[in-house]
Amino acid sequence: MIPDQPRPPDKITRLRGACFLLAAGLLAAVAARQMLPARWDEPVFPSRSMSRVLRISDYFSGLKHTRADTEIYLFEGREPGGAMLVMGGTHPNEPAGFLTAVLLAENLSVERGRVFVIPRANHSGFTHTEPGEAHPMSFAIPTSAGTRRFRCGCRFTNPLDQWPDPEVYLHHPSGQRLSGPETRNLNRSFPGRADGNFTERLAFAVTALIEREQIDLVMDLHEASPEYPVINAIVAHERAMDVAALANLTLQAEGISFALEPSPQNFHGLTHREIGDATPALAILMESANLMQGRLRGRCDAGLILDGKDPWYLAAARAGLLRVPYDEAGIPLDVRVGRHLAGIRAITDALNFISPDRAISLSGIPTYSEVQQRGVGAFLSPK
Amino acid sequence: MEGWTLLLMIAALALGVFALRLPTGIALFLSAAAGALIAGHGFPVRHLVEGSILYLDPILLVVTSLFFMGLFERSGALAALNRAAVSALGSRPHVLLALLTLFVMFPGMLTGLTAPCVLTTGAMIAPVLIGAGLSRARAGAFIASAAFFGMVAPPVNIAAMLICSGVDMPYVGFGWPLLLAAVPLALVSSFFIAGKNVRGLADPRLIEQLPPSHFARHGLKLYLPLLLLLGLLFGAKSFPEHIPYVGVPLMFVLAGILGLVTGERVRLTDVANWAIRQALPIVGLLVGIGVFIQILTLTGARGFIVVETLTLPPALLYLGLALLVPLFGGVSAYGSSSVLGVPLLLALLHHNDIMVAAAISLLASVGDFLPPTRLAVILSAPVVNEEPNRILRASLIPILLGILGGVAMILFANPLARLLGLN
Ligand SMILES: [Zn+2]
């Protein structure tokens, strides 16, 4: 039953309405001004040994002039060898993955083989933050040449690029059902399709790169909340398991402990499952523990990204609720980036040992203890 | 500190709603701003605005479903539909009551929200219920109850999906557990609320009390908007490669506009104005909830709630589940399932995870009845022209059944899962 038409508003109601509209407009304008920097890419200063800057649209022209297009830094050694792709920012709200890829692009030199580095794999996700999560928009890293700001984005593609979400996300081609917003999750959209939605097209472009450049090894850098079961982990496709297991032994010998996890056979859309299934590449994903992503965190600001200290996580750790060791020292960004870098070195070494004909030789990557002693900022000075 | 912030926000909210008699949406916004200030964040414009768009999609759904219903009613289709249903099934009132329940649940099964149930199918059957002799409060409770169980029922249960994405679990195998959680309880609730008046549905005088039908003048053409809506909904789901997905709000608008030419003459501006006026308090509420949640998260009050719940002693954990998940659901059912549901599921891993996720989604959805927002009740108030609190008092049965059902599903998760063949 539809209630009757209410009385037309009187003068005072109209005036009050106008005031509310004005106030809302003002708040929106101020917020828009504050959110604007999320649209600007932070500069990356690639190391001198970089050969070329490519773009993901070079591999799928459908992404030209869209917010999905993103930079790829290519390092070519003098000797021929294997090829490797390192992806950061598949989830832009996972700072250690993004920052590790930036640090790699700024310090790497390659003697043998080719290395492709994508720091902002879901470029669109860097242009907004997730409502309800109250994440900081950016964090600052002190370097010898001054402070550098890096964005902290959203796990999902910007709805301005892809909207509305269906009620249920059907993954292509498996038909797996996930919640609607996962349609905008790049790491649920692989292998992607050329005529799919924005995020599926982006995944398609990455898959095309892997095929065209005959990539041997894909490393996708992530973070997860400390209460999440797959954490401080190396997740490997079954064909990549030998390489990952060998790398894990090296890391253990260095005193850096990772859990070695097989990529689940029946969980679709993720890099370590679909790239491994759809291309000849060995697909590996690494996770570090990021408090900012968790639901147990207290106050949330950029400091939480940098020092990884939180009283509520400490209480949860004492109650045995976390999957990673956690104490007063926190889990600082230096530790998380250091772990990712150590993982990349160990996995490359393992690949070289197992397939010497497709070897890749790298230098310039700081060790775990170097990063702990000097901090990530020491390796992020513009040169 | 986080605990004090939470306390202050709740106190400010109570002050705004009860002492100052502010609309709940505005009280939520002001208590959020107060919480941010006391926690040392000043007046965080970015967070206040970002939180306000947390529920943008449900807001669009509320406005457009009201627009559709306004046109459907004014074109004469609603009265025709009601008369047809009563004259076809009036002789079997128990079947009619069960069908009315499922009918109200239907939009919720497709959208995972209570709002389209209450505002479309609920509004459609309200005259039948009241005509059959239900008090306005009970009619409102009947609609709110069916809408609540419709939100839980499969195939689309957004609360369960949010829990799944939080723990990286595919949304698979939920059909039977959610059906079990929703349909029997919905029918029991309906018969508790309306049972006394079941004979009223069979009373031949009921038809006379319903608004006059224009079916004779317009014929089946009247129902075209409803058919277009269903066609768009199922078309996009069944043939995604041929029919593009435009979103349910746009489907409501398109189907509503068709109603301009299928029945009685209606002025578009009248209906649009009416829909916006009806929607405004609900939109304000949804905006306020979003801001409140954003500030709960920013100040760490959210972490306080989660950690305090998770660290309850085991004996109290189930009590906590039964009370805190619905209570947080009173702010937002989605917020409760994603924020409390995910860590709770991880803490209850020795239980079947599908049953636990389904149960938590039921518990969190009970929050749609509870203060501060009382969303299902607030929505049904204008539909039956009754005070929200009276509807709330008449809704005690579905609230209790929802809580008991949810806790039972967790306690017996493993045997139930075996029974349904989930392991
Ligand atoms: Zn990730």
Side-chain angles (χ1 to χ4, degrees), chain A residues 23-362:
Chain A
L26 207 66
L27 282 178
V30 173
R33 179 74 198 78
Q34 290 177 353
M35 290 175 181
L36 205 55
R39 299 298 182 93
W40 302 321
D41 286 359
E42 50 282 272
V44 174
F45 307 96
S47 84
R48 266 193 220 108
S49 68
M50 184 200 60
S51 318
R52 257 179 307 153
V53 182
L54 304 164
R55 301 190 73 86
I56 197 70
S57 57
D58 298 342
Y59 298 91
F60 176 47
S61 58
L63 296 184
K64 267 208 178 81
H65 311 300
T66 72
R67 245 195 298 260
D69 205 0
T70 189
E71 288 177 341
I72 307 167
Y73 303 95
L74 169 61
F75 297 79
E76 291 170 307
R78 252 169 299 173
E79 290 174 63
M84 169 164 99
L85 168 66
V86 179
M87 294 165 70
T90 303
H91 288 150
N93 61 331
E94 298 170 6
F98 168 44
L99 208 62
T100 303
V102 171
L103 193 150
L104 203 62
E106 299 193 355
N107 293 272
L108 188 65
S109 80
V110 175
E111 287 79 40
R112 184 176 173 192
R114 292 169 302 146
V115 176
F116 297 77
V117 182
I118 311 181
R120 294 177 278 247
N122 189 349
H123 181 267
S124 163
F126 278 93
T127 60
H128 70 135
T129 42
E130 190 174 351
E133 282 300 324
H135 287 155
M137 289 177 60
S138 66
F139 54 98
I141 305 273
T143 77
S144 57
T147 299
R148 283 178 70 179
R149 268 202 173 274
F150 295 92
R151 283 173 298 171
C152 172
C154 175
R155 185 177 177 80
F156 304 109
T157 298
N158 193 327
L160 292 176
D161 293 316
Q162 184 183 327
W163 187 82
D165 298 333
E167 279 71 40
V168 181
Y169 164 42
L170 288 176
H171 170 256
H172 172 84
S174 72
Q176 167 182 272
R177 296 158 69 86
L178 293 169
S179 71
E182 299 286 329
T183 328
R184 291 183 282 117
N185 182 343
L186 176 57
N187 202 28
R188 299 292 179 275
S189 301
F190 282 94
R193 50 178 158 175
D195 59 350
N197 64 42
F198 184 92
T199 312
E200 285 173 323
R201 279 180 280 153
L202 172 58
F204 175 82
V206 175
T207 311
L209 178 159
I210 293 165
E211 281 169 346
R212 198 189 307 170
E213 300 292 352
Q214 294 171 357
I215 302 285
D216 298 285
L217 175 65
V218 175
M219 268 185 271
D220 188 14
L221 307 176
H222 284 257
E223 297 204 85
S225 60
E227 67 269 27
Y228 181 70
V230 182
I231 189 69
N232 276 1
I234 300 177
V235 189
H237 187 264
E238 50 272 20
R239 284 190 296 104
M241 213 22 139
D242 290 350
V243 169
L246 182 57
N248 199 26
L249 284 178
T250 319
L251 289 163
Q252 262 167 9
E254 290 171 22
I256 305 169
S257 100
F258 276 94
L260 186 62
E261 305 265 355
S263 163
Q265 293 276 358
N266 295 321
F267 195 30
H268 290 283
L270 297 97
T271 50
H272 51 74
R273 168 54 40 211
E274 305 299 342
I275 290 175
D277 282 355
T279 75
L282 303 180
I284 294 177
L285 179 148
M286 281 194 286
E287 298 268 14
S288 56
N290 174 20
L291 270 61
M292 198 193 63
Q293 276 170 271
R295 289 166 172 79
L296 279 56
R297 66 183 147 98
R299 198 187 161 89
C300 184
D301 51 29
L304 191 62
I305 297 178
L306 299 179
D307 65 14
K309 285 183 193 170
D310 181 88
W312 297 104
Y313 265 104
L314 201 56
R318 288 184 178 139
L321 292 168
L322 304 189
R323 312 296 171 115
V324 291
Y326 187 87
D327 56 28
E328 286 84 352
I331 310 177
L333 190 59
D334 290 345
V335 168
R336 286 136 57 200
V337 171
R339 291 176 62 90
H340 277 326
L341 290 170
I344 292 170
R345 283 159 64 108
I347 291 168
T348 321
D349 288 346
L351 176 81
N352 294 348
F353 185 80
I354 289 177
S355 359
D357 52 317
R358 299 292 289 170
I360 301 160
S361 85
L362 317 171

Side-chain angles (χ1 to χ4, degrees), chain B residues 85-177:
Chain B
V86 171
S87 55
L89 286 161
S91 56
R92 302 164 78 182
H94 288 93
V95 177
L96 180 57
L97 195 68
L99 284 180
L100 289 178
T101 308
L102 294 175
F103 182 64
V104 178
M105 288 171 74
F106 180 69
M109 297 160 91
L110 295 181
T111 60
L113 284 162
T114 48
C117 297
V118 175
L119 298 177
T120 63
T121 46
M124 286 182 191
I125 67 145
V128 176
L129 295 174
I130 294 168
L134 261 77
S135 67
R136 289 181 179 274
R138 276 175 175 264
F142 182 98
I143 292 168
S145 159
F148 151 60
F149 288 112
M151 168 181 181
V152 176
V156 177
N157 174 324
I158 292 182
M161 284 186 198
L162 287 173
I163 300 174
C164 284
S165 31
V167 294
D168 274 350
M169 189 170 126
Y171 180 66
V172 172
F174 277 83
W176 284 109

